[in-house]
Amino acid sequence: MNIRKIVTVVEEIRSEGGREVWPPARVAVVAAVIDNPWAGQGFVPDLTAGIDANASDLGALLSPLVLEALKAPAEAYGKAAIVGLDGEIEHGSALIHTLKFGDHFRKAANATTLLPAVEKRGPTGVAFDIPLKHITDASIRSHHQTVEVRVADAPHPGEIVVALAAAAQGRPQQRLAPLSTEQ
């Protein structure tokens, strides 16, 4: 696996809806910009070799970094794979939609739910939204949120941006009734 760069973004929300958020709401994202292991090979019918060579290492690398950047226990989390224009969306999906990748984050965050995800193909500098959900109960509405990310010089056409995101809380100023009130 060739990593060109790692980008860390920490967002601290101090005001929402004209009201102070205290303590500030924190969301962290760590993204690795890697060479697409299938770039230049045409259609690859079996992606297993690239998954085996990269997915677990990526999960093991990014999981502690995003939790360290958050500086608090994670309550919500998500993942992303943004594929450069010379790749397929399936290339990004292959790396992040495997337990070899996601279990590292689940274990590090003491989580049990599946990681919500975004995967897409885009040009260098494309913005993408990472969906987040609660780490142990995906039906907790307060933790359904999204963080927007952009790596200015990535992905190049033959690269993939693989990212993990974590939030230390639900949405600032959330006030929706629990899902159970509608069932």
Side-chain angles (χ1 to χ4, degrees):
M1 176 174 52
N2 183 30
I3 299 172
R4 180 165 63 89
K5 68 191 294 184
I6 294 177
V7 176
T8 301
V9 177
V10 178
E11 185 175 279
E12 193 172 89
I13 303 162
R14 295 175 170 259
S15 175
E16 179 70 26
R19 295 178 168 268
E20 180 182 24
V21 174
W22 191 258
R26 291 180 63 86
V27 180
V29 178
V30 175
V33 180
I34 67 167
D35 286 343
N36 182 335
W38 302 281
Q41 298 179 36
F43 183 83
V44 178
D46 184 353
L47 303 177
T48 303
I51 294 167
D52 290 345
N54 297 284
S56 182
D57 290 344
L58 275 169
L61 172 70
L62 296 177
S63 298
L65 294 177
V66 71
L67 294 173
E68 179 182 307
L70 187 61
K71 295 184 180 174
E75 289 188 13
Y77 66 171
K79 62 187 174 182
I82 311 306
V83 181
L85 294 176
D86 286 349
E88 300 173 37
I89 293 171
E90 189 70 3
H91 296 162
S93 295
L95 293 175
I96 67 170
H97 291 304
T98 173
L99 297 177
K100 293 174 184 182
F101 176 78
D103 272 355
H104 290 285
F105 200 13
R106 264 185 290 286
K107 288 175 186 168
N110 295 313
T112 56
T113 58
L114 292 176
L115 282 143
V118 62
E119 55 276 333
K120 71 185 221 178
R121 182 176 37 242
T124 300
V126 65
F128 54 97
D129 294 335
I130 302 176
L132 306 174
K133 297 212 188 258
H134 195 278
I135 64 169
T136 60
D137 185 348
S139 71
I140 296 177
R141 286 181 173 175
S142 60
H143 288 61
H144 293 200
Q145 53 191 314
T146 305
V147 58
E148 184 177 16
V149 186
R150 179 180 169 274
V151 179
D153 67 343
H156 290 165
E159 292 179 332
I160 302 174
V161 175
V162 177
L164 292 178
Q169 68 297 304
R171 295 183 311 278
Q173 315 297 15
Q174 76 81 26
R175 51 198 176 272
L176 297 178
L179 182 60
S180 61
T181 63
E182 295 183 28
Q183 295 176 334

